[in-house]
Amino acid sequence: MIPPVPSRRDAIADDLRERIAAGRLKPGERLPSEAHLAAQYMVSTPTLRNALAVLQAESLVEKVHGKGNFVRRPLRRITYRGGGRTPGTHIVDLSPLSVTVHTARVRARGPLTALLETPTDSPLTEISCIGHEGGRPHSLARIYIPRDLAPTAVLRQSLPYEAVLTRLMELRPPLAEVREEINARRPTPEEVSTLRISPALAVLAVTRQVTDTAGRVVEAALLVLPGDRAHAVFTTHHVIDERPAEA
């Protein structure tokens, strides 16, 4: 049986993929312009863009708005640690990365009201953390806290990422429960733009709800980790009952 002839899109993607694997196109190198590549492969611009989209979905090529297409550098993998954790440990360790932190005053709207179990328009502090590696966006986290537990004056923007996490642990009351919901989904247009990823690349979306010993939701976190650099690990700690058996 004669194998099917690959489409022009797949043939171009295969050629570029082979050039990247062989090192003829190096990590961080800018590809020739789309017009130049289309002429080189003797195809239309839409066909060429479809071929590049295949490589973008495989995280081999990155398109930077206004600059062109680049061979993507290998990115550090992030481990999401779910399940049983001791208080104070980080669910995602972003310390090896450069992290940009912004705080803002927002109001509880839409899904946040249900997640934080608070009335609409309740005052919140939003902490946005974008991890960067080599100047490229790596991961995104948004943390929402009732403003009386995390006033923006205390979490000022000049604090580094690790200091923000430490300060949050100092401010919040003793915790009783952490509920996590994890979904693999397509990124939103905002996430595509912020993280500079292909819209075809799945992301690991984590929603955390943290409750204190009084039953109040004291923190909600929305984490987005691109699927090409994230994996999840869950550990459950079993408590062994060492009491003697009754006679």
Side-chain angles (χ1 to χ4, degrees):
M1 182 176 178
I2 300 176
V5 178
S7 67
R8 291 297 293 145
R9 179 202 71 174
D10 292 336
I12 294 168
D14 288 344
D15 184 62
L16 290 172
R17 190 185 295 111
E18 182 181 343
R19 291 163 65 182
I20 292 171
R24 295 196 298 273
L25 290 172
K26 302 186 182 302
E29 182 178 343
R30 184 181 182 276
L31 271 61
S33 69
E34 293 179 357
H36 181 91
L37 287 173
Q40 176 184 335
Y41 289 109
M42 295 184 291
V43 296
S44 66
T45 300
T47 298
L48 185 280
R49 286 176 176 167
N50 286 338
L52 292 175
V54 172
L55 300 179
Q56 289 164 6
E58 296 173 3
S59 300
L60 293 176
V61 169
E62 175 185 27
K63 185 167 186 174
V64 180
H65 182 70
K67 294 184 178 180
N69 295 284
F70 295 79
V71 179
R72 195 160 202 171
R73 298 179 186 277
L75 291 169
R76 186 190 306 272
R77 294 190 66 81
I78 281 186
T79 299
Y80 175 82
R81 302 193 180 279
R85 292 187 303 274
T86 57
T89 57
H90 302 161
I91 55 173
V92 177
D93 183 15
L94 298 181
S95 56
L97 306 175
S98 170
V99 184
T100 302
V101 179
H102 293 286
T103 60
R105 294 169 176 257
V106 298
R107 296 280 178 174
R109 303 281 172 83
L112 282 179
T113 59
L115 191 59
L116 283 157
E117 298 178 2
T118 190
T120 299
D121 285 334
S122 296
L124 306 174
T125 293
E126 178 190 62
I127 306 167
S128 298
C129 305
I130 302 178
H132 297 269
E133 183 176 6
R136 299 177 186 273
H138 193 284
S139 52
L140 172 65
R142 290 190 177 94
I143 303 170
Y144 296 91
I145 302 170
R147 200 176 300 164
D148 62 302
L149 296 178
T152 52
V154 175
L155 296 173
R156 58 189 183 278
Q157 293 187 10
S158 59
L159 284 177
Y161 169 71
E162 290 290 334
V164 168
L165 294 183
T166 300
R167 194 72 181 104
L168 286 178
M169 287 186 285
E170 293 172 349
L171 290 170
R172 66 190 181 189
L175 304 183
E177 181 180 88
V178 177
R179 181 178 181 273
E180 302 164 310
E181 180 179 322
I182 301 180
N183 293 290
R185 59 167 173 79
R186 294 291 179 87
T188 66
E190 180 187 6
E191 291 162 356
V192 167
S193 175
T194 301
L195 295 171
R196 285 163 38 186
I197 58 177
S198 165
L201 178 67
V203 297
L204 192 69
V206 183
T207 302
R208 295 179 68 238
Q209 184 188 56
V210 181
T211 307
D212 69 6
T213 53
R216 180 187 181 186
V217 179
V218 295
E219 179 186 315
L222 308 176
L223 314 176
V224 179
L225 306 175
D228 63 345
R229 70 202 72 163
H231 62 281
V233 175
F234 292 84
T235 303
T236 300
H237 299 279
H238 292 280
V239 178
I240 300 176
D241 190 351
E242 297 181 347
R243 291 175 299 178
E246 295 183 3

